[in-house]
């Protein structure tokens, strides 16, 4: 799905969302220069793989959080982790670097990527801001709705404190 297809998908499913169009951003530092309506709900997304290139994970946390991959590995029983390549990102989620988002899981027809979401997004107000498979916008939606569409797609979801 491209950006427009994501918008149509959400609209056709009747899912409440707001869209903030902005300049292309490639990391959280660049995004800090963009005025956002719900800055506390903005998400940081890490696409990682294990050392054998057998397991792929999308880790989504609040933008202000840091993720210690060694600690994540210890808590979740994975093999050693590192960032996946841009080729692996395209192969699994059909995304370009800078556009990593949980909505990319809708492009994962093989269901090869496991999704880890920080439980902080379920706290009041229960919103999350993610790219619509393109880094020139942020889509704000209810976290529960995001989880529902990802689970309905058949992707594995794990909620935890990261």
């Amino acid at each position: 799905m491209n950006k427009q297809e994501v918008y149509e998908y959400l609209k056709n499913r009747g899912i409440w969302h707001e869209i903030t169009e902005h300049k292309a951003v490639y990391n959280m530092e660049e995004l800090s220069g963009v005025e956002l309506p719900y800055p506390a709900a903005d998400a940081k997304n890490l696409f990682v793989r294990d050392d054998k290139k057998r397991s792929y994970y999308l880790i989504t946390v609040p933008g202000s959080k840091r993720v210690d991959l060694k600690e994540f590995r210890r808590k979740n029983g994975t093999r050693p982790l590192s960032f996946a390549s841009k080729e692996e990102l395209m192969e699994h989620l059909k995304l370009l670097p800078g556009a990593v988002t949980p909505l990319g899981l809708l492009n994962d027809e093989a269901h090869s990527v496991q999704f880890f979401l920080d439980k902080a997004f379920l706290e009041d107000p229960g919103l999350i801001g993610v790219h619509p498979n393109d880094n020139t916008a942020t889509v704000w939606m209810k976290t529960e709705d995001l989880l529902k569409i990802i689970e309905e797609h058949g992707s594995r979801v794990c909620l935890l404190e990261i």
Side-chain angles (χ1 to χ4, degrees):
M1 280 188 210
N2 63 32
K3 179 167 77 169
Q4 211 52 50
E5 290 168 331
V6 168
Y7 295 162
E8 288 297 315
Y9 177 84
L10 295 174
K11 181 181 169 194
N12 292 340
R13 302 272 320 255
I15 295 172
W16 173 87
H17 63 285
E18 287 182 22
I19 300 165
T20 302
E21 297 281 342
H22 51 70
K23 66 179 181 168
V25 293
Y26 295 90
N27 55 50
M28 295 310 292
E29 185 178 334
E30 290 181 14
L31 188 63
S32 68
V34 175
E35 190 171 326
L36 301 173
Y38 311 102
D42 194 43
K44 175 176 10 183
N45 302 283
L46 308 175
F47 185 57
V48 299
R49 62 166 174 79
D50 71 13
D51 62 338
K52 299 286 186 185
K53 299 183 180 182
R54 290 187 188 139
S55 297
Y56 290 83
Y57 308 97
L58 177 61
I59 304 169
T60 300
V61 299
S64 60
K65 275 197 179 177
R66 289 186 47 83
V67 178
D68 180 334
L69 291 180
K70 288 181 183 175
E71 179 72 9
F72 182 88
R73 172 192 178 200
R74 188 184 65 72
K75 284 184 174 178
N76 295 288
T78 71
R79 296 189 54 82
L81 298 173
S82 63
F83 288 97
S85 69
K86 65 181 181 180
E87 292 80 14
E88 291 167 317
L89 177 60
M90 181 55 71
E91 176 186 344
H92 292 276
L93 299 180
K94 311 293 185 268
L95 299 174
L96 296 171
V100 179
T101 172
L103 292 171
L105 293 164
L106 300 177
N107 294 332
D108 180 19
E109 294 303 324
H111 309 292
S112 60
V113 178
Q114 185 169 353
F115 180 46
F116 287 90
L117 180 71
D118 192 306
K119 286 182 178 180
F121 286 111
L122 294 171
E123 296 169 6
D124 192 45
L127 296 178
I128 189 167
V130 297
H131 288 312
N133 294 347
D134 184 293
N135 65 349
T136 61
T138 299
V139 174
W140 308 95
M141 58 194 304
K142 294 176 184 166
T143 305
E144 293 287 348
D145 288 338
L146 176 66
L147 293 172
K148 182 179 176 185
I149 61 175
I150 290 171
E151 288 172 339
E152 285 176 359
H153 176 68
S155 295
R156 292 173 291 166
V157 174
C158 184
L159 293 170
L160 54 120
E161 290 180 24
I162 300 175

